[in-house]
Amino acid sequence: SVPRDHDIPTILSRCVMVQFVVEIWEQCESRQELCAARFEGVEPLPGSFNILLHSFGRKVAMQEKIDIIEEMEHLPLTGDVNCSNPDHVLYICENYKPKAKLGEPYEVYFGPLVGRSNRAVIDKFSVKKRLYIGRTTMDAQLSFIMANLAM
């Protein structure tokens, strides 16, 4: 219920614990259900696109990711695939049960990327890159979290 164009980029510019935000077009219990989805009410995206797969709870091999993405040929997309500089980035997010080696995910989400957080700032201010480390030096990620709490 947050306005997409204005508030989310502002929020993400201050976040260090969030990786990215995806607008959910479809939520399913399996990949087969996602492949069968009709995406009613979703406007076709003009321009180029890229589809990425992100998994939680298990690492997915690159060949398996490619196979999953190739199954999504029915999507409401009219443009060309552009992996280096797409107009739209679409995510398939899969949740696996903890410590699941193989098997199907128990939740699958699909939708366009709304924005990415500012996690690069953690590396920029890393303790490893500082010339001097004093008694009160704090890890960069923890200090950013505390600064956000104070605001």
Side-chain angles (χ1 to χ4, degrees):
S1 65
V2 177
R4 178 179 176 176
D5 295 332
H6 177 66
D7 293 338
I8 292 179
T10 305
I11 293 167
L12 287 175
S13 70
R14 301 213 36 91
C15 288
V16 291
M17 297 294 287
V18 176
Q19 290 183 359
F20 55 87
V21 173
V22 173
E23 177 184 348
I24 296 177
W25 278 357
E26 195 69 41
Q27 177 182 357
C28 304
E29 293 182 8
S30 68
R31 282 190 216 126
Q32 291 77 18
E33 198 176 317
L34 180 63
C35 289
R38 295 286 162 228
F39 298 97
E40 295 173 10
V42 174
E43 295 289 325
L45 295 174
S48 62
F49 66 92
N50 185 14
I51 299 176
L52 300 174
L53 184 123
H54 190 83
S55 61
F56 301 95
R58 171 173 105 90
K59 283 194 172 198
V60 178
M62 184 56 76
Q63 186 58 46
E64 188 179 351
K65 285 183 180 183
I66 292 169
D67 294 341
I68 293 167
I69 291 169
E70 286 179 352
E71 290 176 8
M72 301 295 144
E73 58 190 30
H74 68 287
L75 296 175
L77 304 169
T78 57
D80 297 327
V81 175
N82 184 346
C83 295
S84 58
N85 191 18
D87 294 329
H88 305 282
V89 177
L90 300 164
Y91 266 93
I92 301 169
C93 299
E94 297 183 336
N95 278 341
Y96 290 88
K97 295 198 186 274
K99 299 181 182 175
K101 299 286 184 200
L102 297 173
E104 291 289 314
Y106 68 92
E107 288 178 319
V108 181
Y109 302 97
F110 178 77
L113 176 72
V114 175
R116 294 186 185 276
S117 68
N118 194 12
R119 290 183 62 88
V121 76
I122 295 171
D123 188 49
K124 181 179 177 184
F125 291 102
S126 175
V127 175
K128 296 175 189 174
K129 294 183 178 181
R130 295 185 190 171
L131 297 175
Y132 175 77
I133 298 177
R135 293 180 298 149
T136 59
T137 301
M138 186 182 301
D139 179 61
Q141 186 171 359
L142 182 59
S143 65
F144 288 129
I145 293 169
M146 291 175 62
N148 282 333
L149 287 172
M151 295 190 79

